[in-house]
Amino acid sequence: MPTVLILGAGSDMAVAIARRYASAGYTLQLAARNPAQLHALEQDLRIRHQVAATSHAFDALNFDSHLSFYQSLPAQPDLVICVFGYLGDQEKGQSDWQEASRILHTNYTGAVSILNVAAEAMAARKNGMIIGISSVAGDRGRMSNYLYGSAKAGFTAYLSGLRNRLFHAGVHVMTVQPGFVDTQMTQHLTLPPLLTAKPAEVANDIFKAAGKKKNAIYTKWFWRYIMLIIKSIPEFMFKKLKL
Amino acid sequence: MRKQLSNWGNYPALDCEEAAFSVDEQLQQYVDSHEHIIARGNGRCYGDASLGEHSISTLRYDKVLAFDEATGEFECQSGITLDQVLDITVPKGWFLPVTPGTKFITIGGAVASDVHGKNHHAEGSFSNHIISMQVLTGKGLLTCSPTQETDLFWATCGGMGLTGVITTVKFRLKKIETAYIKQKQIKAKNLDEVIRLFDEHKHYTYSMAWIDCLQKGDSFGRSILIVGEHAKENELNDKQRQAPLTLPAKGKLTVPFNLPGFVLNNFTVKTFNALYYAKNYKRVIENVVPYEPFFYPLDAIHHWNRGYGKDGFVQYQFVLPLEHKDGLAAILHRIGEKGWGSFLAVLKVFGHQDDLISFPMEGYTLALDFPVRKGLFPFLDELDALVLEYGGRLYLSKDARMQQEVFWNSYPNARKFERIVQAYNPGGKFRSIQSDRLQFNYGSNNSNS
Ligand SMILES: Cc1cc2nc3c(=O)[nH]c(=O)nc-3n(C[C@H](O)[C@H](O)[C@H](O)COP(=O)(O)OP(=O)(O)OC[C@H]3O[C@@H](n4cnc5c(N)ncnc54)[C@H](O)[C@@H]3O)c2cc1C
Ligand SMILES: NC(=O)c1ccc[n+]([C@@H]2O[C@H](COP(=O)([O-])OP(=O)(O)OC[C@H]3O[C@@H](n4cnc5c(N)ncnc54)[C@H](OP(=O)(O)O)[C@@H]3O)[C@@H](O)[C@H]2O)c1
């Protein structure tokens, strides 16, 4: 059975993704800052789906550790899904560099650092797949979250370049851009119910699209059209909006 | 997130904040940073028991921690719902020891309401099958069981979340050979006959009856008694026997009858009623059915509760002790005269129960729905007085309106329960608008610690 490595495995979205892959029989490698918190999930996956699961310590901001983290995994993963992210506090980040850099480094630099490692390993083996969870927020910067959005924009561009490169090595890269998802990250926000996906729906979309080797998806699907409209608003108008 | 929250009866609706957690640290943080909170499972209690200024949803705290397929011991976090538990255990030959009439409730809700099923007379309520559990109380995370920290254990079973948030529960499952039930449906002409039939069939593990509340005269209380046992493998037909522990594909499940939607309209009520009886033209029908339509006939119709409209409804469930079962007729008469209730009610027998604050007591329990309307609550107050007169009480998990003295006068251990709540939840950090309505005295944060 193939092995999937989930980076940032403790989040609601990651739990849903782990369960979706476990139900298809994958072996799971779960990685998070505090692996003790993953113990319950590990048991849960084993009991519900009769799969093997292991937990590993991983911090996206600890760039220097990424190579040894990857090399010490019990098996080389066939699929790596980069789920971690940090929405952060936009307003705080505007004047507090610590907050701003944490947003940028978690969503962009940290993701690039670990996926560089995974990419090298897969390119050498000439197989594997990488899935990166970016965001619709990366499609256009908005006043309410452009620090996060710009990091996700960078991540989206990185994934597209990586896809281009790894295509020639037989490795597939898929970009996922979720819209609103009902998770811990968005708990404090009031989201429009009709536009908001459950983590399990996102996980299902990802699983299905990965099976078809899609290059880039929006989830739920209608965000493609919402973002088309948002991207088509002329800048002279867009800048006047309070989004 | 701030939202309008209501439970299954859509009454009351409260503008409040609901948060969620998936790991212990998040729960602890939330508990530490909020003055008043109440745990909320899947919101299947009908009234206000899991509503409060800040409710904390357990639904993401849903991991299975252990399942011993040899002994049937199962341990999980409190937010997992019964349908998920069944999906995991039934294929391995294990069933829930006790299940209510819907599988969309959480294990935490099953404990906090100490739920009963159709097997109460034979196997007791949910608490009877708990090995141990952990509760995040006002005094930290504690483990309790029937032999350890017993005050906390008994005040948590049926304690409506007032001792704290139940985090993990370890309980015993029940061995089954098949995913099927061998059931028998028996028509009863009236209330007397159905009570007699209950008695005749008390050796069955599962039993309940649907009572038609609108009939008068000789047919007063006419009903259908449904009894059943887990089917043995040799009781299945050839097709079922190919995969005895697997339910037939979804969608093919037959719903024995359609209840909701028409409940509000007397005309359709009568039409459906006639049809319903015509369908069961034989007095006794025996057959083998998958467990789903047997235990969860209403689950096949999602959100049937919305059929009652936006004002919502309350479910009125009371129990009368065995020696006052005559009270059933009196109360049913009052309900029938008024004509405000749903036309069908559920009748069950309870066996003996020895505990602190749970609803069941040896006797008969009846449940029916009342759409919220002007004058309903004064009428229900009158019914409450009757229930108390006959030595009965109301189920907190269905309640949205009872006057506080009704509770204090009908639960003999209520004050003892209150003292235990004061010890584990000093100052009342864990409280709902129900416990406030019932005027719980939570004690003070300092004097008790
Ligand atoms: C169609 C239908 C049929 C039903 N049939 C029956 C039946 O046959 N027998 C029966 O007994 N009940 C029955 N019920 C009622 C239902 O089983 C109970 O109300 C149950 O408690 C609901 O659980 P929940 O997970 O939805 O919790 P909620 O409704 O959200 O909460 C119920 C209570 O449990 C508390 N609670 C929930 N989780 C926790 C936790 N982790 N820690 C501490 N407290 C917690 C809440 O504070 C609240 O007091 C039925 C309900 C419906 C809708
Ligand atoms: N929710 C949405 O509406 C939405 C929309 C679009 C895109 N997304 C993206 O979807 C992904 C999952 O989001 P979510 O909503 O599930 O978010 P979440 O609940 O906030 O979870 C974020 C996860 O990232 C982890 N993380 C943060 N910093 C980390 C670090 N330095 N090292 C390792 N892990 C770190 C967290 O781990 P800890 O458990 O250790 O804190 C947590 O598991 C994110 O990439 C997010 O940007 C979400």
Side-chain angles (χ1 to χ4, degrees):
Chain A
M1 260 302 156
T3 298
V4 52
L5 166 65
I6 300 182
L7 298 163
S11 74
D12 298 327
M13 200 187 290
V15 170
I17 294 171
R19 284 184 171 159
R20 187 63 193 85
Y21 275 90
S23 76
Y26 279 67
T27 298
L28 287 119
Q29 295 173 343
L30 311 168
R33 285 184 286 200
N34 178 1
Q37 281 186 357
L38 296 175
H39 184 70
L41 176 62
E42 225 182 87
Q43 293 299 338
D44 183 78
L45 295 168
R46 284 195 196 120
I47 295 167
R48 285 186 196 240
H49 303 292
Q50 281 95 41
V51 294
T54 49
S55 298
H56 310 276
F58 166 78
D59 187 338
L61 296 178
N62 192 352
F63 312 129
D64 292 343
S65 68
H66 290 175
L67 183 61
S68 63
F69 157 78
Y70 199 85
Q71 285 173 341
S72 66
L73 289 169
Q76 291 291 295
D78 305 282
L79 169 60
V80 174
I81 310 182
C82 181
V83 191
F84 62 82
Y86 179 59
L87 183 56
D89 184 335
Q90 166 69 29
E91 248 174 72
K92 190 171 168 208
Q94 286 162 197
S95 54
D96 175 348
W97 175 243
Q98 251 201 330
E99 179 69 2
S101 74
R102 190 170 156 211
I103 297 173
L104 302 179
H105 286 325
T106 309
N107 293 300
Y108 182 66
T109 329
V112 168
S113 165
I114 182 63
L115 292 189
N116 269 352
V117 172
E120 284 305 295
M122 288 181 178
R125 281 166 50 196
K126 294 209 173 308
N127 73 50
M129 179 166 175
I130 290 171
I131 299 176
I133 315 288
S134 187
S135 169
V136 294
D139 278 354
R140 193 160 194 180
R142 298 184 291 130
M143 64 186 278
S144 61
N145 67 4
Y146 63 85
L147 287 170
Y148 171 79
S150 61
K152 288 293 194 185
F155 187 40
T156 303
Y158 169 82
L159 290 168
S160 125
L162 190 66
R163 175 161 45 246
N164 187 192
R165 171 191 158 206
L166 292 182
F167 172 77
H168 303 283
V171 175
H172 185 63
V173 176
M174 182 169 95
T175 310
V176 179
Q177 287 180 273
F180 297 139
V181 190
D182 178 14
T183 68
Q184 208 69 28
M185 181 180 272
T186 52
Q187 174 141 260
H188 59 291
L189 306 171
T190 304
L191 300 177
L194 282 177
L195 297 183
T196 305
K198 292 275 166 219
E201 294 176 295
V202 169
N204 218 16
D205 282 355
I206 292 173
F207 182 81
K208 278 205 270 183
K212 293 186 200 149
K213 293 215 171 171
K214 295 266 185 184
N215 296 314
I217 62 160
Y218 285 87
T219 165
K220 299 177 166 189
W221 58 271
F222 48 70
W223 282 95
R224 175 177 304 280
Y225 302 97
I226 296 175
M227 294 322 292
L228 259 176
I229 295 167
I230 290 184
K231 281 189 285 190
S232 69
I233 302 173
E235 193 64 23
F236 74 89
M237 278 169 69
F238 194 81
K239 72 177 182 193
K240 295 177 192 155
L241 303 174
K242 291 205 159 167
L243 288 170
Chain B
M1 197 192 311
R2 275 209 90 74
K3 48 173 117 164
Q4 277 273 108
L5 218 55
S6 55
N7 289 322
W8 193 244
N10 290 323
Y11 176 88
L14 183 71
D15 183 37
C16 57
E17 189 194 79
E18 192 184 36
F21 66 102
S22 52
V23 295
D24 301 317
E25 288 79 356
Q26 289 164 355
L27 172 64
Q28 184 72 57
Q29 223 173 39
Y30 196 81
V31 167
D32 289 345
S33 59
H34 290 79
E35 202 182 340
H36 299 317
I37 56 178
I38 188 72
R40 185 162 189 263
N42 209 23
R44 249 48 174 198
C45 68
Y46 282 74
D48 52 2
S50 61
L51 299 181
E53 186 183 322
H54 297 283
S55 69
I56 179 126
S57 168
T58 61
L59 289 175
R60 285 184 192 148
Y61 191 69
D62 64 351
K63 316 297 175 304
V64 184
L65 304 174
F67 174 26
D68 186 330
E69 292 174 29
T71 63
E73 280 183 20
F74 192 86
E75 184 174 16
C76 58
Q77 294 174 340
S78 61
I80 191 173
T81 48
L82 302 186
D83 64 314
Q84 299 176 60
V85 176
L86 290 166
D87 283 348
I88 297 163
T89 62
V90 170
K92 308 284 180 195
W94 294 98
F95 201 75
L96 291 165
V98 165
T99 176
T102 173
K103 59 184 157 76
F104 301 124
I105 73 155
T106 64
I107 288 291
V111 177
S113 295
D114 196 4
V115 296
H116 56 268
K118 301 176 183 195
N119 55 346
H120 187 275
H121 59 287
E123 297 173 319
S125 58
F126 197 83
S127 59
N128 208 19
H129 308 272
I130 300 176
I131 299 167
S132 65
M133 61 184 163
Q134 288 191 305
V135 189
L136 183 60
T137 68
K139 293 178 148 184
L141 186 68
L142 296 172
T143 302
C144 63
S145 77
T147 56
Q148 180 185 358
E149 202 88 40
T150 53
D151 267 2
L152 176 62
F153 181 79
W154 290 114
T156 300
C157 298
M160 309 312 289
L162 299 184
T163 55
V165 180
I166 301 158
T167 57
T168 65
V169 183
K170 189 173 179 183
F171 61 99
R172 251 174 252 104
L173 295 161
K174 172 176 179 176
K175 187 96 196 125
I176 50 171
E177 281 183 29
T178 76
Y180 292 82
I181 300 289
K182 192 176 176 204
Q183 72 164 4
K184 190 163 141 185
Q185 305 189 28
I186 310 153
K187 259 165 70 164
K189 284 198 286 292
N190 52 39
L191 188 63
D192 288 339
E193 188 176 0
V194 76
I195 298 280
R196 192 168 48 70
L197 285 171
F198 260 116
D199 211 46
E200 276 170 25
H201 291 82
K202 66 178 173 217
H203 55 282
Y204 275 86
T205 309
Y206 299 107
S207 64
M208 61 81 84
W210 295 103
I211 290 204
D212 174 347
C213 298
L214 297 182
Q215 297 303 313
K216 302 202 166 75
D218 285 348
S219 312
F220 170 72
R222 73 173 179 181
S223 29
I224 294 186
L225 176 73
I226 305 173
V227 298
E229 295 291 346
H230 288 283
K232 302 252 183 307
E233 202 171 332
N234 60 20
E235 290 166 335
L236 302 187
N237 65 31
D238 290 348
K239 195 159 167 249
Q240 293 165 338
R241 212 171 306 154
Q242 283 167 10
L245 288 165
T246 312
L247 287 180
K250 283 256 161 60
K252 284 184 194 149
L253 292 179
T254 47
V255 185
F257 36 80
N258 282 327
L259 281 175
F262 49 81
V263 205
L264 295 177
N265 179 321
N266 259 332
F267 172 72
T268 40
V269 164
K270 284 186 179 132
T271 325
F272 262 89
N273 223 345
L275 277 178
Y276 173 43
Y277 278 91
K279 209 176 117 201
N280 289 277
Y281 59 94
K282 277 190 275 183
R283 205 182 90 85
V284 179
I285 301 178
E286 278 193 80
N287 53 0
V288 171
V289 296
Y291 74 78
E292 281 195 325
F294 181 80
F295 287 110
Y296 314 114
L298 293 174
D299 284 352
I301 315 142
H302 283 268
H303 295 296
W304 57 264
N305 57 333
R306 290 180 190 156
Y308 285 108
K310 68 172 175 17
D311 291 338
F313 67 106
V314 293
Q315 185 167 84
Y316 193 74
Q317 180 169 9
F318 63 91
V319 56
L320 297 185
L322 217 47
E323 63 272 22
H324 285 306
K325 63 176 182 227
D326 50 311
L328 268 182
I331 295 172
L332 266 172
H333 270 299
R334 278 288 265 284
I335 292 171
E337 276 163 22
K338 200 78 180 179
W340 284 358
S342 52
F343 81 101
L344 283 184
V346 174
L347 181 66
K348 286 184 221 176
V349 212
F350 282 159
H352 177 69
Q353 173 135 356
D354 219 3
D355 68 1
L356 184 71
I357 198 67
S358 303
F359 168 64
M361 64 160 102
E362 191 167 17
Y364 285 89
T365 178
L366 189 87
L368 76 162
D369 300 339
F370 287 95
V372 172
R373 63 163 84 203
K374 218 171 147 227
L376 176 66
F377 292 169
F379 172 63
L380 295 181
D381 289 340
E382 288 172 32
L383 291 186
D384 291 356
L386 272 178
V387 169
L388 260 61
E389 207 174 290
Y390 290 108
R393 57 189 183 223
L394 304 184
Y395 192 8
L396 287 175
S397 206
K398 308 275 172 92
D399 167 54
R401 35 69 43 191
M402 83 166 104
Q403 309 268 351
Q404 54 95 8
E405 64 273 10
V406 173
F407 170 71
W408 297 104
N409 291 337
S410 59
Y411 279 79
N413 296 321
R415 291 296 170 195
K416 187 170 170 203
F417 170 61
E418 185 181 46
R419 282 194 299 278
I420 301 175
V421 168
Q422 285 168 6
Y424 288 99
N425 175 19
K429 178 181 276 283
F430 305 99
R431 63 168 79 189
S432 61
I433 57 173
Q434 179 180 60
S435 65
D436 284 349
R437 176 165 54 77
L438 298 177
Q439 297 180 14
F440 264 79
N441 175 349
Y442 309 98
S444 90
N445 212 341
N446 310 321
S447 63
N448 275 295
S449 49

